Amino acid sequence: MRRYQLQPAAGEKEELELVLEDAPAPDPGPGEVRVRVTACSLNYRDLLMKRGQSASSAGGGVVPLSDGAGVVDSIGEGVTAWREGDRVMGAFFRDWRDGSFDMSYHQAARGGSCDGMLADFVVGPAESFVATPDYLTDAEAACLPCAGLTAWHGLFERGGLKAGQTVLALGTGGVSVFGLQLATAAGARVVITSSSDEKLAQAREFGAWETINYREHEDWDKRVWDITGKRGVDHVIEVGGPGTLGRSLNSVTAGGHIALIGVLTGFSAPDATLFPLVARNADLHGIYVGSVAMFERLNAFLAEKEIRPVIDRSFSFEEAEAAYAHLRSGEHVGKIVIEIR
Ligand SMILES: NC(=O)c1ccc[n+]([C@@H]2O[C@H](COP(=O)([O-])OP(=O)(O)OC[C@H]3O[C@@H](n4cnc5c(N)ncnc54)[C@H](OP(=O)(O)O)[C@@H]3O)[C@@H](O)[C@H]2O)c1
């Protein structure tokens, strides 16, 4: 079978290299299944992994990409949950099935501390796969495991989002566009920001209530304040990190909720006071993807509302490098997919 691995590059190159290689197709052990992967999607995390900016990717040697979907192809001893031909998606955390998070789950994060999905076949514990909703294509399903689940976890599992509330989503990448779609479908109104007016026009087509160009309006928190009648938003999907957290704190309403998710502006300390959080009696939750049980609840909601992930562009398996380059360019809206044939 074909698989990619992230390997240390020869010479002075700073990034790990994507290396395409032949390997024997793995056999499922007891309690495992083998999945023929048909589609993967990329996340910003995959750029961090390639740059070696994650402790779990620093040495390379793993199959990249947390997110993939495919078809169960071989069943290991004792597995009753799946049959050959079942359509499934891989869970980001292989071992986080339900309940609260345990730090040991970081030891098996697909595409980071253990092999990911960018291969013809993968094996894993039967319980680390989730049924693909019937109405979705495999390419659409491949968008869900990281970005979709993270937005769901932040807004619904921890944020308790309700109809009639307001949400602020930063930028038009994978997590934020899922946040826009999920919150809109639940009857919330979404303010979304972007560096591009064209992308904001697209976001309005996906249901955005209000849009702000954060390049034109560096003080976008003031715009959020005005748009919401000087009340602030109930939820913030905070994917920016230290460079945006201060303005996100200024944007949240009294008793509101910030889902702290991303590091688009880096890993340093925030450049702002955290006092607005105190003054507003607001909540700040760290969100790291989610469990299999959350993933199943997300899928039930998606199917009920018939939400289809937004795919910006699809690449072939051989074009994996170009898919990474497209993600790095930041030109996309929503998700970037690699289809495996
Ligand atoms: N904690 C978790 O579980 C988790 C899960 C998924 C992702 N993440 C993190 O969340 C972040 C987003 O991930 P993703 O996969 O959705 O990324 P992505 O698809 O690559 O999205 C990138 C987009 O974010 C926007 N952006 C960049 N810098 C920004 C800034 N300073 N302010 C506002 N928007 C900005 C840009 O949108 P415009 O072009 O529209 O401006 C850019 O195209 C990343 O840091 C990622 O590591 C964390």
Side-chain angles (χ1 to χ4, degrees):
M1 69 161 195
R2 302 165 302 168
R3 73 174 181 201
Y4 282 95
Q5 274 203 337
L6 286 178
Q7 297 282 7
E12 299 287 296
K13 285 193 193 150
E14 281 174 16
E15 286 208 344
L16 298 171
E17 228 166 28
L18 257 188
V19 178
L20 178 60
E21 55 184 30
D22 268 323
D27 287 322
E32 291 184 332
V33 294
R34 182 170 72 191
V35 172
R36 179 170 57 79
V37 184
T38 52
C40 292
S41 82
L42 281 82
N43 293 282
Y44 188 80
R45 168 185 184 257
D46 300 311
L47 297 179
L48 299 176
M49 291 293 161
K50 195 160 182 308
R51 286 186 211 133
Q53 277 181 310
S54 161
S56 58
S57 72
V62 292
V63 175
L65 305 192
S66 56
D67 289 13
V71 179
V72 174
D73 159 86
S74 177
I75 307 270
E77 193 189 317
V79 174
T80 54
W82 302 113
R83 285 182 304 190
E84 281 178 26
D86 283 346
R87 297 174 65 223
V88 294
M89 305 167 282
F92 180 100
F93 285 116
R94 222 182 47 189
D95 301 333
W96 189 10
R97 309 282 152 73
D98 201 357
S100 53
F101 191 69
D102 187 284
M103 288 303 277
S104 66
Y105 299 152
H106 283 299
Q107 304 307 315
R110 285 196 163 107
S113 50
C114 71
D115 278 343
M117 302 294 285
L118 193 55
D120 283 323
F121 296 95
V122 300
V123 292
E127 298 83 9
S128 71
F129 295 95
V130 174
T132 297
D134 289 341
Y135 76 102
L136 292 180
T137 65
D138 285 3
E140 290 168 332
C143 299
L144 300 178
C146 179
L149 181 52
T150 301
W152 170 262
H153 181 185
L155 288 174
F156 293 85
E157 302 274 343
R158 303 288 279 285
L161 185 141
K162 293 183 183 59
Q165 291 190 319
T166 47
V167 175
L168 169 64
L170 304 186
T172 58
V175 175
S176 293
V177 170
F178 268 118
L180 166 62
Q181 292 180 286
L182 295 170
T184 304
R189 289 172 300 164
V190 179
V191 183
I192 192 162
T193 72
S194 177
S195 57
S196 147
D197 287 342
E198 289 76 39
K199 290 183 175 188
L200 290 175
Q202 271 182 276
R204 280 193 290 277
E205 284 171 24
F206 305 141
W209 169 51
E210 292 280 355
T211 58
I212 304 170
N213 186 317
Y214 64 81
R215 286 261 164 78
E216 273 172 33
H217 302 283
E218 284 185 16
D219 54 354
W220 45 266
D221 48 337
K222 293 206 178 78
R223 303 277 299 181
V224 173
W225 207 242
D226 289 341
I227 286 167
T228 56
K230 308 204 183 307
R231 178 184 175 273
V233 290
D234 296 291
H235 303 266
V236 182
I237 300 170
E238 213 328 314
V239 291
T244 54
L245 182 59
R247 293 191 191 280
S248 290
L249 288 165
N250 291 340
S251 301
V252 77
T253 193
H257 173 246
I258 296 178
L260 188 59
I261 292 169
V263 290
L264 290 167
T265 61
F267 290 88
S268 60
D271 60 2
T273 170
L274 302 182
F275 192 70
L277 194 67
V278 179
R280 292 161 202 225
N281 277 284
D283 291 334
L284 179 70
H285 278 133
I287 302 293
Y288 210 132
V289 193
S291 66
V292 165
M294 292 179 198
F295 198 171
E296 285 166 345
R297 290 192 284 273
L298 163 66
N299 293 335
F301 181 83
L302 290 170
E304 182 199 326
K305 306 288 184 187
E306 293 208 10
I307 297 170
R308 307 200 89 96
V310 174
I311 297 178
D312 178 270
R313 198 166 151 193
S314 182
F315 293 83
S316 69
F317 189 72
E318 293 74 18
E319 295 171 324
E321 195 77 65
Y324 273 77
H326 188 53
L327 181 68
R328 198 178 294 110
S329 76
E331 287 170 9
H332 62 290
V333 170
K335 297 293 296 173
I336 297 165
V337 164
I338 294 175
E339 294 192 67
I340 306 180
R341 294 197 177 91

